[in-house]
Amino acid sequence: GENVEQHPSTLSVQEGDSAVIKCTYSDSASNYFPWYKQELGKRPQLIIDIRSNVGEKKDQRIAVTLNKTAKHFSLHITETQPEDSAVYFCAATPNAGGTSYGKLTFGQGTILTVHP
Amino acid sequence: DTEVTQTPKHLVMGMTNKKSLKCEQHMGHRAMYWYKQKAKKPPELMFVYSYEKLSINESVPSRFSPECPNSSLLNLHLHALQPEDSALYLCASSHPSLAGGRSTGELFFGEGSRLTVL
């Protein structure tokens, strides 16, 4: 089955700095890579995702890059703000585009702290 | 409506109690999931229902019993739980939809039910 590794486990930055979180996956058939942000006591919320036919996607201050050859993908947050502080999870699935359910495999999470 | 609704939000139960968690979605999704999450850890998949049939049981102890009465509802029945079962239980749903089509991969999570077992 799929295995997703995420680094670093904790990340501390100053407000305005950039933050980068990296994930690697094992299943070359994986074709959908979402990133979730989870604030304390809240549900995971999808912040950005990328599919295997795209190398990069950007949405305002956040961007995701995918390198299929190396089987890794990264989340980039620019101009960080204190409200970006949360736990971030990457995930991967080979099931997107199929006619059945999609089983996501999550990374272990990164605790991001943005200091004012 | 892009919401997945879970009740109750908080539940405290003793080890001999029987209780149920409920989940509802009206997006026409035909895949529904139960996840268990401990603090600062990733969600762990417990069960997947696809077209109202149990498709995945990730070796979950029998004290957790899922039920999918129809395409909009998902229940998790709890009995004789242990204190280590205390966690946030998340329901999620995903495509494919009642209208057919293909899975996009995206999971829609509910707010969760925070369970404490005494």
Side-chain angles (χ1 to χ4, degrees), chain A residues 33-106:
Chain A
F33 307 91
W35 285 89
Y36 287 87
K37 173 185 180 182
Q38 189 173 26
E39 296 173 5
L40 193 63
K42 301 270 184 79
R43 66 179 144 188
Q45 292 214 295
L46 179 70
I47 55 171
I48 196 166
D49 56 16
I50 192 166
R51 299 183 189 278
S52 57
N53 58 348
V54 175
E56 184 174 356
K57 184 176 177 181
K58 190 172 180 180
D59 182 3
Q60 299 184 354
R61 295 186 299 109
I62 58 174
V64 57
T65 58
L66 171 65
N67 183 327
K68 282 193 299 182
T69 304
K71 288 194 275 192
H72 68 68
F73 56 113
S74 300
L75 178 72
H76 304 253
I77 307 174
T78 58
E79 299 170 25
T80 54
Q81 301 166 3
E83 50 266 37
D84 295 328
S85 298
V87 183
Y88 290 79
F89 295 102
C90 64
T93 180
N95 300 126
T99 55
S100 184
Y101 55 86
K103 182 180 175 184
L104 278 180
T105 300
F106 286 89

Side-chain angles (χ1 to χ4, degrees), chain A residues 18-41:
Chain A
S18 294
V20 180
I21 303 171
K22 299 184 178 183
C23 289
T24 60
Y25 61 98
S26 61
D27 187 349
S28 56
S30 282
N31 57 5
Y32 175 66
F33 307 91
W35 285 89
Y36 287 87
K37 173 185 180 182
Q38 189 173 26
E39 296 173 5
L40 193 63

